[in-house]
Amino acid sequence: MLLICISIFSQNPVNYNLIGENIKNNKSELYYPELMARFQKGDTTLTLNQKRHLYYGFTFQEKFKNFKFNGLLDSISKYEQLNTKESLLKALDFRKKSP
């Protein structure tokens, strides 16, 4: 049981900034469109690092929809349109919760 706990907590956190940079570099082996094309062709030679960039890199694509964040945007917009002191304070409250 102890070994399982150690193994779970010893994993490195995901560096989204680095992944975001890597997948946008069209000269990199981690360029997202090329990784996706290889994945869709069933390329079995993708490395673990390439698969991680493919998986986490999706969050940087236009098709990615963060539903939690979109709900916050709707709430922010609703309160900002009311244009009262109370509604603007509420909108600021929602903005603090957004990623």
Side-chain angles (χ1 to χ4, degrees), residues 25-38:
N25 180 357
N26 62 0
K27 294 180 178 140
S28 168
E29 71 168 13
L30 302 171
Y31 184 53
Y32 194 85
E34 290 179 14
L35 286 178
M36 181 54 79
R38 288 177 58 194

Side-chain angles (χ1 to χ4, degrees), residues 6-61:
I6 291 171
S7 133
I8 290 172
F9 292 110
S10 67
Q11 295 178 3
N12 295 331
V14 176
N15 186 338
Y16 283 97
N17 292 331
L18 181 61
I19 289 174
E21 290 173 20
N22 290 340
I23 64 164
K24 293 175 187 170
N25 180 357
N26 62 0
K27 294 180 178 140
S28 168
E29 71 168 13
L30 302 171
Y31 184 53
Y32 194 85
E34 290 179 14
L35 286 178
M36 181 54 79
R38 288 177 58 194
F39 174 76
Q40 290 174 333
K41 289 179 185 175
D43 187 343
T44 59
T45 64
L46 287 168
T47 66
L48 180 58
N49 190 41
Q50 289 169 330
K51 290 175 186 175
R52 283 186 179 135
H53 277 72
L54 190 61
Y55 181 82
Y56 293 110
F58 183 68
T59 61
F60 295 95
Q61 306 307 302

